[in-house]
Amino acid sequence: MGEVVLEGRGIKKWYGKLQVLKGIDIKIEKGKTKVIIGPSGSGKSTLLRILGLLEPPTEGNVLFKGRDVYAEKLDLNKIRAKIGFVFQEPSLFRHLTALDNVKLGLRHVLKLSEDEARRKALETLRIVHLEGWKDHYPAQLSGGQQQRVGIARALAMDPEIILFDEPTASLDIELTWEVIDTMRELAERGITMLVVTHEISFAKEVADEIIFMDDGMILEEGPPEKVLMNPKSERARVFLRRLLGV
Amino acid sequence: MEFLLQYSRFIIEGFITALTMTIIGVSGGAVLGITTALLDVYGGRVSKVLVGIYVEFFRGSPLIVQLLIFYFSIPAVTGLNWDAYTAGAVTLILNSGAYQKGYFKGAIEAVFKDQLMAAASIGLTFRQTLRYIVLPQALKIVIPAWTNELVSLGLSTSALIIIGVRELTSIAKTIAAQTFRPLEVYFTIAIIYFIWITIMLKIMDIVYRRVRIPGLEVSI
């Protein structure tokens, strides 16, 4: 087993009286791509935000490279900088160009010089094939391009892991592919990823491991062929049948 | 109308006073408005209540009454001795700040939550998020509303006549009384206000065009 980058132990989350997560254990190893599938409302996005340190769990522990983030009272901002996050809605800073969106964290969080930050931001935009769009504002980009800038913004920080929260959910079919292709390229580059998605083909071809969540619990876990082709639980079977249309 | 030329020096002085008071009021009010808006949006319960009381007082009473309170009542109670210009400037700042708080609050809240979460996700601190994400957008979004405040406060400086500040309206009243020609005098002054306001609107329009960002436009 490789080095564990991010781990959740016994994660529970309540919103008021509603329990969204009912004790989740999850580990993501370096260089691996893990995909979470499951019906909407199953707690996938909440789990991702908790692992991304964007909200605290009600109970349980989040460990980043073996260190318990909340118990050890680590500086959240410092660790967030090492955990990339790509949101469901393209959440670009609307007053900044594509280049400046990518550059902001490099300048003010990683404290790179203006020249270094610019060079690094351009290099990252090239990876997502958007170097020609660097001076465009978010409103001048398509949804897919915006998501790819969002990916570049996360990637440029040289994170230990990138979390994707249904990055194609708000996109048309054609735009979905360009984002999925970009994510596929990242996986090939060995970037550690945890991806919530409904794109089964991505899960099947790219994931090292798939998790099926329902009702705040992990019901299935394992390599794609096992979870997708031969699920143990009835709920996973129903979900997959509907998703795959078979 | 030639008789007015001999008073031109006073008219110009009155205009400069009105302009100065407007600039002081609107810029002091902007600092106050941004501060109170941030306290209202991100502050605790106590700061929200205090901001609420301040805003309600200044938006819920006439400017003239506020001027009278600051020039006559407060010195009477506190023994504070300030001249009409200082009292007037302080009142205008507080009054404008109360209105600008509303504009800035709206603009700050227009910077959507998703961007705040994105800012957190790359490791920006709260302070950095305000500085690099929230304020740059809010300051641009607010310009149209802020322009209205500039015009409104500019015209409101005529209320300063009540505490004896020698601004444009007060000068006009004196000239009208001396020349017995209120018709020409007041119309001329009204036209001067109109030209002044039109120029300010034009300038703000140019500023807005300059700093405008695609996708961040707001209709007035």
Side-chain angles (χ1 to χ4, degrees), chain A residues 32-130:
Chain A
K32 295 288 165 67
T33 297
K34 203 168 248 201
V35 168
I36 305 179
I37 57 172
S40 21
S42 57
K44 308 180 300 279
S45 294
T46 307
L47 176 62
L48 222 61
R49 282 200 301 276
I50 288 173
L51 292 172
L53 307 180
L54 297 176
E55 56 180 292
T58 316
E59 268 180 44
N61 311 71
V62 180
L63 289 85
F64 179 73
K65 300 183 91 177
R67 299 192 61 186
D68 191 323
V69 175
Y70 290 103
E72 296 183 41
K73 293 196 166 48
L74 303 180
D75 182 344
L76 291 183
N77 288 317
K78 287 222 171 89
I79 303 177
R80 283 174 186 148
K82 296 177 186 167
I83 303 176
F85 207 107
V86 178
F87 298 86
Q88 182 166 348
E89 298 294 327
S91 317
L92 297 183
F93 307 127
R94 292 172 64 202
H95 63 307
L96 298 178
T97 60
L99 182 70
D100 287 339
N101 260 279
V102 181
K103 220 173 68 181
L104 190 77
L106 300 174
R107 282 289 282 140
H108 301 298
V109 179
L110 300 186
K111 313 277 184 199
L112 299 187
S113 72
E114 176 65 29
D115 281 353
E116 279 177 290
R118 189 185 160 81
R119 195 182 44 74
K120 174 102 190 170
L122 279 172
E123 188 185 304
T124 317
L125 280 177
R126 205 166 299 136
I127 294 176
V128 299
H129 311 297
L130 282 176

Side-chain angles (χ1 to χ4, degrees), chain B residues 202-220:
Chain B
K202 194 72 207 160
I203 292 173
M204 289 311 293
D205 191 43
I206 293 168
V207 170
Y208 187 55
R209 275 169 209 276
R210 283 250 162 137
V211 304
R212 186 168 53 182
I213 280 170
L216 266 187
E217 294 92 349
V218 276
S219 47
I220 306 170

